[in-house]
Amino acid sequence: MQITIQTHCDTFTLDVNLSDTIAHLKSMLEDRLSMTHYRLLYQGQLLQTGSISDHSIQSGAIIQVCQIEKLKRRRCALKHCTDKVVNIIGDCRYCKSSFCSRHRLPESHTCINLLSCKQAAHERNSIKLLSERCVASKV
């Protein structure tokens, strides 16, 4: 029998048997799909296990393929650290990388732009000190 496979950008037919399992159907789809993580839906039901006949799939049925977005866990950019990235304060504004709470400071992750970081901090401090300087008139 033939069933219709519908993805977000393509529709095609596939020849299957009623005794074919969902796992076998997925293996047949791997050749045709560019996605690696997806789910099969038939009339709103998730197809995970069993055979095609277990789900009452008839000839000419439309099976939808939905892609699953895998969330990438953000880890510290330091080579041997596996800690999670700290939101907002973990982003280094000098090298544009994300770090954990232990390596978030430019000195602790040996930032490649550490020299420019030190120069910028020195300039900020000197401007602040010059603006707060007291000037007394000589009598």
Side-chain angles (χ1 to χ4, degrees):
M1 77 175 187
Q2 282 193 337
I3 57 172
T4 303
I5 306 296
Q6 183 180 30
T7 66
H8 65 284
C9 62
D10 192 19
T11 302
F12 56 91
T13 58
L14 206 58
D15 290 320
V16 294
N17 296 321
L18 282 173
S19 60
D20 286 347
T21 62
I22 301 300
H24 183 258
L25 178 61
K26 284 184 175 182
S27 68
M28 290 192 304
L29 288 174
E30 285 178 5
D31 300 334
R32 304 274 308 255
L33 298 177
S34 60
M35 307 179 235
T36 54
H37 301 288
Y38 58 88
R39 290 183 177 156
L40 299 178
L41 297 173
Y42 174 64
Q43 294 181 344
Q45 293 180 347
L46 183 63
L47 303 177
Q48 288 181 319
T49 59
S51 67
I52 291 176
S53 61
D54 292 344
H55 295 282
S56 304
I57 298 174
Q58 303 296 322
S59 181
I62 297 174
I63 295 180
Q64 296 172 332
V65 180
C66 298
Q67 187 171 5
I68 301 170
E69 293 291 327
K70 285 284 185 175
L71 294 177
K72 213 180 212 184
R73 295 190 182 208
R74 293 183 3 144
R75 298 289 176 202
C76 182
L78 207 62
K79 193 172 186 176
H80 298 292
C81 183
T82 58
D83 292 343
K84 284 179 24 176
V85 167
V86 180
N87 290 334
I88 301 168
I89 61 170
D91 297 329
C92 179
R93 63 178 157 185
Y94 301 105
C95 64
K96 307 293 186 219
S97 297
S98 299
F99 297 95
C100 66
S101 59
R102 285 187 294 157
H103 302 115
R104 69 183 180 89
L105 299 175
E107 293 84 8
S108 61
H109 69 264
T110 57
C111 185
I112 57 173
N113 297 323
L114 189 59
L115 186 60
S116 65
C117 169
K118 285 182 179 181
Q119 287 175 347
H122 180 69
E123 287 174 21
R124 278 194 312 267
N125 287 340
S126 66
I127 291 170
K128 186 176 179 183
L129 288 173
L130 288 173
S131 70
E132 294 174 355
R133 184 173 64 172
C134 292
V135 179
S137 60
K138 291 185 180 180
V139 180

